[in-house]
């Protein structure tokens, strides 16, 4: 599965900077308690884990926990964003394809705050990028186009580059999103995956972009398209 560890490190640093020691201690207390609750539910179901994140960090062979974790996602006993994020990451596995989509989309739409969307919503998008299917193209497109979804759109935007049936629709939206600073980089990468010639003009413009990463990815995307 795709996990952005740089993003995770940045989040931890930001959390410590923005939160007083007293509040931070309370956050960690709740997080520990909720992790213990999830672990107990898993153990009662027969899974020998000592931490929710064991499901992410160690290779799994039994994925019967998927439905259990999806049910816990909106449980009143699970409120901490990091635990919710851990649940989503734990079900970002091929065995969840065909099982988790509707639940995750409904949950994404229920997220209210920008902070929730940035952390938990981003991981939902990561799920759909990793396990992309054209069956959910319309939902992914709608989420990607809505600027109110902020940075949580990034992986949804990247997923648009994987479409097989809707390439022209995807290209049109991605070209528009190259003007949106929050998702421009991901739109450029996705255009490179689509390999459609209508993108050449805009990608050529981006090869002189002040953002070195966007410039680099625009050059790579052009090479992919012109090599076809």
């Amino acid at each position: 599965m795709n996990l952005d560890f740089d993003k995770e490190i940045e989040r931890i640093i930001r959390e410590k900077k923005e939160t007083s020691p007293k509040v931070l201690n309370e956050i960690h207390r709740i997080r520990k308690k909720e992790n213990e609750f999830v672990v107990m539910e898993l153990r009662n179901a027969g899974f020998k884990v000592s931490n929710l994140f064991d499901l992410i960090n160690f290779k799994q062979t039994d994925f019967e926990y998927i439905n259990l974790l999806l049910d816990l996602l909106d449980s009143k006993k699970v409120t901490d964003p990091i635990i919710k994020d851990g649940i989503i990451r734990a079900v970002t596995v091929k065995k969840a394809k065909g099982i988790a989509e509707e639940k995750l989309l409904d949950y994404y739409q229920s997220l209210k705050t920008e902070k929730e969307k940035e952390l938990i919503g981003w991981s939902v998008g990561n799920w759909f990028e990793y396990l992309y299917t054209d069956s959910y193209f319309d939902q992914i497109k709608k989420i990607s186009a809505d600027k109110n979804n902020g940075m949580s759109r990034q992986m949804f935007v990247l997923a648009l580059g994987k479409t097989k049936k809707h390439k022209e629709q995807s290209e049109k939206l991605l070209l528009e999103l190259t003007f949106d600073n929050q998702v421009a980089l991901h739109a450029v990468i996705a255009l490179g995956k689509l390999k459609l010639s209508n993108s050449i003009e805009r990608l050529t413009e981006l090869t002189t972009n002040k953002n070195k990463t966007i410039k680099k990815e625009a050059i790579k995307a052009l090479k992919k398209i012109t090599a076809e």
Side-chain angles (χ1 to χ4, degrees):
M1 71 188 76
N2 292 327
L3 297 179
D4 191 330
F5 292 108
D6 288 337
K7 178 175 176 289
E8 184 67 8
I9 291 169
E10 287 176 7
R11 181 200 60 75
I12 293 169
I13 293 172
R14 186 170 66 252
E15 183 179 81
K16 289 184 176 180
K17 283 183 177 180
E18 295 176 353
T19 312
S20 69
K22 184 177 180 180
V23 172
L24 194 58
N25 286 337
E26 179 63 10
I27 289 172
H28 288 166
R29 184 191 70 78
I30 293 172
R31 188 170 297 160
K32 182 174 182 290
K33 181 180 178 182
E34 293 188 359
N35 182 52
E36 289 171 351
F37 166 72
V38 174
V39 167
M40 186 57 65
E41 292 292 299
L42 287 166
R43 292 180 71 85
N44 287 342
F47 295 95
K48 297 179 180 179
V49 294
S50 57
N51 190 303
L52 165 62
F53 295 89
D54 288 349
L55 296 176
I56 302 168
N57 297 327
F58 303 109
K59 186 175 182 180
Q60 305 299 319
T61 56
D62 182 357
F63 296 94
E64 293 299 319
Y65 63 78
I66 291 171
N67 281 315
L68 186 156
L69 288 185
L70 288 172
D71 288 339
L72 291 178
L73 191 57
D74 53 10
S75 166
K76 292 181 179 179
K77 292 185 178 181
V78 180
T79 62
D80 182 77
I82 301 303
I83 301 302
K84 289 178 178 290
D85 182 61
I87 288 173
I88 295 167
R89 293 182 183 226
V91 300
T92 307
V93 292
K94 292 179 180 179
K95 291 288 185 179
K97 199 168 184 178
I99 299 173
E101 289 91 336
E102 295 294 338
K103 179 75 174 183
L104 290 176
L105 285 170
D106 287 344
Y107 187 71
Y108 180 88
Q109 297 300 339
S110 76
L111 297 174
K112 298 293 191 295
T113 69
E114 184 179 343
K115 187 174 181 180
E116 283 180 322
K117 283 189 174 181
E118 183 179 340
L119 176 64
I120 308 171
W122 191 95
S123 291
V124 174
N126 182 67
W127 191 101
F128 280 92
E129 193 281 330
Y130 180 63
L131 298 169
Y132 180 82
T133 171
D134 271 325
S135 300
Y136 293 88
F137 175 81
D138 289 339
Q139 293 94 321
I140 293 171
K141 179 185 174 185
K142 185 176 180 180
I143 290 170
S144 299
D146 187 347
K147 290 188 176 182
N148 291 322
N149 292 323
M151 293 178 68
S152 72
R153 295 175 290 157
Q154 290 178 342
M155 297 306 286
F156 286 105
V157 170
L158 198 57
L160 291 172
K162 288 190 169 183
T163 183
K164 301 297 183 185
K165 298 180 180 179
H166 310 284
K167 287 192 173 186
E168 287 75 19
Q169 282 189 62
S170 186
E171 182 188 42
K172 181 180 178 182
L173 175 57
L174 288 169
L175 286 170
E176 294 173 7
L177 293 176
T178 62
F179 294 94
D180 183 333
N181 290 335
Q182 289 185 317
V183 295
L185 174 62
H186 299 76
V188 169
I189 296 171
L191 286 168
K193 292 181 179 181
L194 288 178
K195 301 179 182 178
L196 296 179
S197 59
N198 285 339
S199 303
I200 291 176
E201 182 178 352
R202 176 58 181 155
L203 288 171
T204 301
E205 291 175 6
L206 290 169
T207 60
T208 59
N209 195 275
K210 292 180 180 179
N211 183 309
K212 292 182 180 179
T213 306
I214 290 178
K215 176 180 177 179
K216 178 182 176 182
E217 291 299 332
I219 292 170
K220 286 168 63 175
L222 278 171
K223 287 180 179 178
K224 290 179 181 179
I225 295 171
T226 57
E228 289 294 297

